[in-house]
Amino acid sequence: MNQSTFDLEAAAQTIRTWLGEADRVLITAGAGLSAAAGYDYGDEDRFQELFPALHRLGLRSRYLVGVPLPPSLRWGYWAVHIDDIRFSPDPNHLYQRLSSLVGDKDHWVMTSNVDALFARNGFAPDRIFTPQGDYGRYQCTTPCTPTTWDSRTLIAQLLAAYDPATGAVTAPLPGCPSCGGEVEINVRIGPEFVDAPYLPAGRRLQDWLGTATADTRLLILEFGAGFNTPGVIRWPGEHLTRHIAHSRLVRVNPTHPETPADLVGRTLPVPVGADHLLDALTVPHLAPDFMVAP
């Protein structure tokens, strides 16, 4: 879709109409939503500010999964990264505006993001499914147990032993409270991922979707879900739209807004960032500024 000819205000009006007609709303979100909210993992300037030692080593973004860092540097990275994105006390106005937009509609959230920004900004924690994990927990690497632990104290201890000049943690590295072995943040990186904390929410979401009747009008608002992990957010949204008769899908994505041809008339591709769309939805007089490609 050509952004230069995209009518954002017309799209916003369609979304207002669909939202007003909806009985239920499912908000789904990938990394693009948090990027629009100010947490862009690919922001090199922010990376250099937070991780000067890693920047000197030639690293340029927070996408460090698989990078063979020594444990002291890896835990130094996790401590600063998680403190910044997961435990910052500052409210996030983009997420708060999205919460206000949905209001008291019967709604759920499903997100691949592990930063808890939904729960920290007005969404009910018991109606958020995070199948990829949560930076707020850690687990045994083996794992020796399905138990996970709150990471807030761990991160505070690591930060106290963190040397910004070297990027390393100088104190002993954390160990499993159960077996004493190595630990890792409780996010889905490999088959060792402990998903036990997230399964109850997943079952409640399935039950909620399962109680939709033949007449239920479901609106799926998808933000920033591309093709890094399409099986988590993007494809399930398309599947639900196909199989729930009166469902509609709004796909907000500046780089991959395409929707399936077989769902024409029940989908709306929006080729802008979530921040631009929420401007149009909640501050209408700003909409004409985005009639051309951002």
Side-chain angles (χ1 to χ4, degrees):
M1 181 177 295
N2 187 345
Q3 291 185 11
S4 63
T5 61
F6 175 70
D7 188 339
L8 181 55
E9 179 52 35
Q13 185 55 52
T14 298
I15 294 169
R16 292 187 193 100
T17 300
W18 286 7
L19 186 60
E21 294 172 348
D23 301 308
R24 297 181 177 185
V25 178
L26 175 62
I27 298 172
T28 64
L33 180 59
S34 287
Y39 293 99
D40 183 354
Y41 281 33
D43 184 340
E44 183 178 340
D45 291 338
R46 181 62 173 160
F47 182 85
Q48 183 175 12
E49 177 186 349
L50 289 174
F51 311 102
L54 295 182
H55 191 271
R56 289 194 297 272
L57 291 176
L59 301 175
R60 294 295 181 264
S61 81
R62 302 197 202 199
Y63 293 107
L64 296 184
V65 173
V67 176
L69 292 175
S72 61
L73 284 179
R74 184 174 69 249
W75 280 109
Y77 163 76
W78 278 126
V80 175
H81 171 64
I82 292 173
D83 183 61
D84 174 58
I85 200 169
R86 175 63 175 85
F87 294 128
S88 169
D90 298 332
N92 190 278
H93 299 299
L94 187 74
Y95 278 81
Q96 291 180 342
R97 287 161 64 195
L98 180 55
S99 176
S100 297
L101 178 68
V102 178
D104 59 2
K105 285 278 186 181
D106 183 5
H107 66 275
W108 260 84
V109 170
M110 181 171 71
T111 178
S112 60
N113 298 335
V114 294
D115 47 31
L117 281 166
F118 279 103
R120 292 154 52 196
N121 286 282
F123 290 87
D126 63 347
R127 283 199 162 209
I128 301 170
F129 178 38
T130 59
Q132 300 296 83
D134 184 349
Y135 283 149
R137 307 204 67 77
Y138 71 103
Q139 65 167 83
C140 178
T141 298
T142 301
C144 72
T145 172
T147 300
T148 62
W149 301 276
D150 190 322
S151 69
R152 187 181 296 269
T153 299
L154 172 65
I155 296 302
Q157 293 170 345
L158 291 169
L159 286 174
Y162 174 72
D163 181 1
T166 65
V169 172
T170 58
L173 299 179
C176 174
S178 177
C179 71
E182 295 183 0
V183 295
E184 60 189 42
I185 299 301
N186 182 218
V187 296
R188 190 184 299 275
I189 296 175
E192 299 81 14
F193 172 62
V194 175
D195 62 359
Y198 316 104
L199 296 180
R203 287 191 289 267
R204 293 196 305 273
L205 173 56
Q206 283 290 90
D207 291 343
W208 181 76
L209 291 168
T211 59
T213 68
D215 297 324
T216 298
R217 293 166 296 185
L218 174 69
L219 176 60
I220 302 170
L221 297 176
E222 178 194 291
F223 295 93
F227 288 99
N228 286 336
T229 53
V232 180
I233 299 297
R234 192 176 176 99
W235 294 341
E238 296 172 3
H239 174 81
L240 287 171
T241 307
R242 288 189 179 96
H243 289 85
I244 298 179
H246 295 285
S247 59
R248 290 164 165 166
L249 168 66
V250 176
R251 171 162 287 158
V252 184
N253 193 309
T255 55
H256 297 291
E258 304 82 11
T259 55
D262 64 304
L263 294 176
V264 168
R266 297 172 56 201
T267 61
L268 178 64
V270 181
V272 300
D275 50 343
H276 293 177
L277 176 63
L278 287 172
D279 279 346
L281 286 168
T282 60
V283 192
H285 69 276
L286 291 181
D289 292 344
F290 301 110
M291 290 288 289
V292 296

